[in-house]
Amino acid sequence: MGKVQHYVEAAKNDLRTDHTWNKLGNLTKRGAKALPEASLHYVKEKAPIIGWLPKYDYRWLINDGIAGLTLGLMLIPQGLSYAKIAEIPVEYGLMSSWLPASIYTVMGTTKDLSTGPTSLIGLLTSEGVHELEHKYPPSQIASAMAFWMGVYGMILGFLNLGFLLEFVSLPVLAGWITAVAITIILNQMPSLLGIKGVGSGAAQQIHDIFAKLPKAGGWTCLIGFSGILFMTILEKAGARWSAKSKIVWFFSITRAFSTLVLFTGISYAVNSPRGSPKNFLFEATQVTANGQEAPSIPPPDLIAETAMKSIALFIGAAVEHGAIARAFGVKNDYVPDQTQELCYFGVTNFFNSFFHAMGVGGAMSRTSVNSQCNVKSPLSGVVTTAVVLISIYFLVPALYWIPKATLAAIIITAVWNLIHPPSHFYHFWKTSLADFISSMLALWVALFVDAEIGIAVAVGFNIIYCLLRQTFARITASKVPKRSELARSIDADRDRDAYGGEDRTRDVHVFRFTDSFFFPNSYATTVAILDSVQTYHAPAYDGAHGPESRKGRNWSVVAEQRIKRLRKSAGVLDQSALPPIGLVVLDFTRVNHADSTACTHLQNLVKEVRRYGGSRVEVRFVGMSPYVRERFVRYGWKMADDGDAWKGAGDESAVTHVYESVPAAVLSPRRSPVITEGTDIRIDSSEDPEKARAMHAQRSSSPDELGGEKRRDN
């Protein structure tokens, strides 16, 4: 008994003195204490409507109502058309379109993004339908693939693993989407021309289309090409006169719906007296559905068979969705939450799959129209849902008469803008051979072999290229500087006033890259830089919502909440004392490689920084190697050396100056006066935000060490 008591006491003593147990206990206590607040924050983060709805301005209802109605009218023809691309009954395109808009009202972080069926999702879904249609109904196959899109999206979104999608570089995406668009057009040519017996595969389709062209149906061609001409006229009229006439503008942005109504009416007038569909002058869709079908789960066996087939579908749709959200956030001065967008993408596809829906995602054409409607918030999605549901329950009988050629015309006009011109790929050629090769692999393999294989080969090439660059890293040698030059350099570094005093550095922020700057890390790096600028510097405008606050409060509170969290985490308590941002210095000394994706993201970063700090903000580069600088110049950056005037065409303000050292970049005269209000310079690594905050806290707490920090960083 005594031994047992001894062991018990020893165990208690170990528990009291064991470092790991004590650390675990402290973490548990802190976690339990923070759990209520963290849970509330998590709910608010996953349901952004909680943040913006209380601030909603009732005057926005008109804009949101018009935008929601317009998108609903667009979704009717597009939903039908993209279901046709997926080779499922077209009515399922409508059934796929009503729920996403409502969920986005609750979970969305952009005001512009419109989600629903897309041409890209339709094509990739059709490949799964082709393989499994002998065993399962096409609509069930599409729903099972949407189910997996939801599962993958929720895994990456809720676990914050969205960075994995960055391995799909912009050149790969450009080549792949171009191939997808061409494939979609080729698939629609038989319906547009009224010909039968066209094979599969781009090469075979091109051969068969030209071989069977003499057998094309005259009435079908008339309907199809008239639809294309009608939509083109409306588009051109809108581009020319929409600013003067709201009627022209409305018919221009709803041209697909107008075309659908017009030619469906023609089809009914011409074909209904002919009785049997065999006697129709041209083929109609013959939709016979009756409202939304009852929800159900796809068969378990089918779910298992579509797991791997849905990966490429998910990657393509998720990357497209995120890119559209970022693009319109930049355009309209708000900050979308990429992780939350991925969560929404997963949740929507998961639950939408139970309603016999195909996969959904962001659509560029509808998002652009939504923005043109001056939509104010995601609340427009409620109206969109209502319009689509009305069409499902009350307009399906009219859809019976839609000409197949008209749907083909709508599809072709919707996707031809997705084809990147040759100049776009030549731009990759000038910037980076590796970018050009990856884009060509994605384009030609996806076009002539398979879309899934195309993106896999291109991404695989990028990964191998990255590994080879690390394996066969190159070094450069240079002569040792003369002693007098070296001595002067050391003396300058030891000078506590090397930067010219505090007044010269209060509106300066210096970032030092620690590795190559290319597609896997470029987006995360630029986000970290922007976060640091917004954390330690005040904006040029009044409020945290962006420049739109000058014209009227922006609906989005995502940026405001994010900046508050960043400043709280960094220990920035007195936000009124923050200096403005006047100069951003990017140190490329350790960067030995850059690509087109990095150049694009850095270009967007410069726009974001100037939007935040005002047009007077300058961005300067330091220590660029000839190789990296050549990449930027070939991409299209205008660059001039320290002290040299820009000799090319264009505005001097668009020129980025390159310096040999950070002190030179900081001290050189600026285009605008130096801002002298605020605190000291902050030099940190964009790769390590935690280190940045620690360095900032150290400088703030010990002014005497500021000079030493500057010396060590330079």
Side-chain angles (χ1 to χ4, degrees):
M1 190 68 181
K3 289 184 177 181
V4 173
Q5 185 68 26
H6 172 73
Y7 287 133
V8 170
E9 292 298 327
K12 290 181 178 179
N13 184 62
D14 286 343
L15 289 175
R16 285 193 299 268
T17 59
D18 186 271
H19 172 74
T20 303
W21 279 112
N22 287 332
K23 184 176 181 180
L24 183 61
N26 290 333
L27 289 175
T28 303
K29 291 178 182 178
R30 287 160 53 189
K33 184 178 180 181
L35 183 61
E37 182 180 354
S39 300
L40 180 61
H41 170 70
Y42 186 80
V43 171
K44 288 183 177 180
E45 191 176 62
K46 298 309 172 189
I49 191 174
I50 297 175
W52 62 260
L53 188 59
K55 301 180 180 181
Y56 189 85
D57 190 331
Y58 70 91
R59 291 174 295 182
W60 297 346
L61 284 172
I62 296 177
N63 295 76
D64 287 344
I66 293 174
L69 174 63
T70 304
L71 286 189
L73 296 179
M74 286 187 69
L75 268 169
I76 294 172
Q78 288 193 358
L80 297 170
S81 302
Y82 298 151
K84 183 176 183 295
I85 295 175
E87 300 190 15
I88 62 177
V90 294
E91 61 268 23
Y92 288 98
L94 290 179
M95 297 179 192
S96 307
S97 304
W98 64 272
L99 185 59
S102 292
I103 296 180
Y104 199 78
T105 300
V106 178
M107 297 186 67
T109 64
T110 83
K111 68 183 181 66
D112 301 294
L113 191 65
S114 171
T115 54
T118 69
S119 56
L120 173 66
I121 294 173
L123 178 67
L124 297 179
T125 299
S126 70
E127 296 185 356
V129 170
H130 283 161
E131 294 185 28
L132 299 172
E133 61 183 345
H134 63 285
K135 298 171 62 177
Y136 304 97
S139 60
Q140 286 189 353
I141 299 171
S143 296
M145 298 181 76
F147 173 87
W148 281 113
M149 288 174 65
V151 171
Y152 296 144
M154 288 190 293
I155 290 174
L156 294 189
F158 287 109
L159 295 181
N160 203 19
L161 299 175
F163 66 89
L164 295 175
L165 297 176
E166 295 300 325
F167 278 93
V168 183
S169 65
L170 296 182
V172 169
L173 194 62
W176 191 57
I177 288 179
T178 297
V180 167
I182 295 173
T183 302
I184 290 171
I185 292 175
L186 290 175
N187 288 342
Q188 299 309 310
M189 292 306 293
S191 295
L192 185 71
L193 300 173
I195 56 180
K196 304 287 186 181
V198 176
S200 59
Q204 186 65 45
Q205 286 176 324
I206 293 172
H207 172 271
D208 291 348
I209 288 170
F210 281 100
K212 297 178 181 294
L213 197 57
K215 300 179 181 179
W219 287 106
T220 302
C221 289
L222 178 62
I223 291 294
F225 285 102
S226 295
I228 292 176
L229 179 63
F230 182 69
M231 284 184 283
T232 303
I233 291 173
L234 288 179
E235 181 182 12
K236 299 301 181 183
R240 184 168 184 177
W241 293 301
S242 61
K244 300 179 181 179
S245 172
K246 289 296 183 182
I247 296 177
V248 173
W249 169 80
F250 181 77
F251 277 102
S252 174
I253 64 176
T254 59
R255 54 188 176 273
F257 179 78
S258 302
T259 303
L260 188 72
V261 172
L262 174 62
F263 286 92
T264 299
I266 293 174
S267 176
Y268 176 77
V270 171
N271 289 326
S272 60
R274 293 178 171 269
S276 173
K278 295 180 180 179
N279 299 325
F280 287 178
L281 288 180
F282 43 83
E283 287 190 88
T285 57
Q286 302 177 44
V287 176
T288 57
N290 186 22
Q292 174 68 52
E293 295 183 10
S296 63
I297 300 176
D301 293 343
L302 176 58
I303 290 177
E305 288 195 54
T306 53
M308 298 302 295
K309 301 180 188 301
S310 305
I311 293 177
L313 171 60
F314 162 72
I315 292 174
V319 170
E320 182 184 42
H321 182 98
I324 294 171
R326 286 200 297 261
F328 281 86
V330 170
K331 178 182 178 182
N332 293 325
D333 303 324
Y334 58 83
V335 181
D337 186 332
Q338 293 296 312
T339 299
Q340 174 63 13
E341 287 295 320
L342 199 53
C343 292
Y344 158 78
F345 181 89
V347 169
T348 295
N349 278 289
F350 181 78
F351 287 104
N352 210 29
S353 67
F354 301 146
F355 291 91
H356 312 277
M358 61 183 286
V360 297
M364 178 62 77
S365 60
R366 294 195 301 271
T367 302
S368 179
V369 168
N370 207 21
S371 178
Q372 292 173 28
C373 290
N374 197 24
V375 66
K376 294 298 184 180
S377 77
L379 197 62
S380 62
V382 175
V383 180
T384 300
T385 295
V387 172
V388 176
L389 284 175
I390 290 172
S391 69
I392 291 174
Y393 283 99
F394 299 103
L395 300 182
V396 168
L399 304 181
Y400 179 92
W401 301 102
I402 297 175
K404 288 186 177 181
T406 298
L407 285 183
I410 292 172
I411 292 169
I412 291 171
T413 55
V415 303
W416 66 30
N417 290 326
L418 297 179
I419 300 176
H420 292 79
S423 60
H424 196 81
F425 297 100
Y426 180 62
H427 191 64
F428 296 145
W429 168 268
K430 291 198 302 181
T431 305
S432 167
L433 179 61
D435 286 342
F436 178 76
I437 292 174
S438 64
S439 67
M440 290 296 100
L441 285 173
L443 171 60
W444 298 114
V445 176
L447 183 60
F448 288 105
V449 181
D450 183 84
E452 295 180 1
I453 296 176
I455 194 170
V457 168
V459 171
F461 170 81
N462 273 343
I463 294 174
I464 293 173
Y465 177 72
C466 293
L467 293 175
L468 290 177
R469 281 196 59 85
Q470 297 300 321
T471 303
F472 300 101
R474 294 176 295 178
I475 61 172
T476 57
S478 61
K479 295 180 180 179
V480 177
K482 296 179 181 179
R483 180 169 179 78
S484 58
E485 295 175 354
L486 182 61
R488 285 198 299 269
S489 176
I490 294 174
D491 291 340
D493 279 349
R494 288 178 175 175
D495 185 1
R496 295 178 65 87
D497 293 325
Y499 286 93
E502 290 188 15
D503 287 347
R504 300 296 301 270
T505 62
R506 288 173 176 171
D507 67 339
V508 180
H509 210 130
V510 181
F511 298 91
R512 179 170 292 107
F513 297 101
T514 60
D515 207 336
S516 294
F517 183 47
F518 61 139
F519 70 91
N521 62 20
S522 57
Y523 178 70
T525 299
T526 53
V527 168
I529 292 173
L530 183 61
D531 283 349
S532 191
V533 169
Q534 293 177 335
T535 300
Y536 298 116
H537 295 276
Y541 44 82
D542 183 17
H545 294 288
E548 190 172 328
S549 60
R550 300 169 185 159
K551 300 175 289 185
R553 178 170 51 79
N554 193 319
W555 72 276
S556 177
V557 296
V558 174
E560 178 183 7
Q561 293 172 347
R562 179 176 176 81
I563 293 173
K564 284 182 179 179
R565 291 198 302 270
L566 289 171
R567 289 175 179 171
K568 181 179 179 181
S569 177
V572 179
L573 302 179
D574 185 7
Q575 300 184 17
S576 62
L578 290 175
I581 181 68
L583 174 63
V584 174
V585 178
L586 302 179
D587 188 351
F588 284 82
T589 304
R590 297 183 181 180
V591 176
N592 58 21
H593 176 63
D595 63 3
S596 300
T597 304
C599 293
T600 301
H601 287 317
L602 194 58
Q603 204 171 53
N604 292 335
L605 171 68
V606 172
K607 294 178 183 177
E608 285 291 321
V609 170
R610 286 177 176 162
R611 179 178 289 113
Y612 181 81
S615 59
R616 65 173 183 78
V617 177
E618 292 186 46
V619 178
R620 296 176 176 178
F621 294 166
V622 169
M624 267 191 160
S625 68
Y627 170 81
V628 173
R629 179 168 178 169
E630 184 183 8
R631 286 290 177 92
F632 274 78
V633 171
R634 293 205 306 257
Y635 179 83
W637 282 75
K638 299 176 181 178
M639 292 188 176
D641 289 321
D642 177 16
D644 293 345
W646 172 246
K647 300 178 182 179
D651 186 5
E652 169 73 19
S653 62
V655 178
T656 302
H657 288 270
V658 183
Y659 298 81
E660 292 185 358
S661 66
V662 172
V666 173
L667 291 174
S668 294
R670 304 187 203 171
R671 296 191 305 268
S672 302
V674 178
I675 303 299
T676 58
E677 297 178 0
T679 57
D680 53 82
I681 185 174
R682 299 165 185 88
I683 302 176
D684 54 51
S685 168
S686 62
E687 299 285 333
D688 191 351
E690 294 296 332
K691 180 180 178 182
R693 287 193 286 268
M695 292 173 66
H696 172 68
Q698 183 178 2
R699 293 189 190 97
S700 300
S701 61
S702 180
D704 292 338
E705 294 179 7
L706 179 60
E709 285 292 334
K710 289 177 182 175
R711 291 197 300 270
R712 286 192 291 273
D713 281 341
N714 293 291

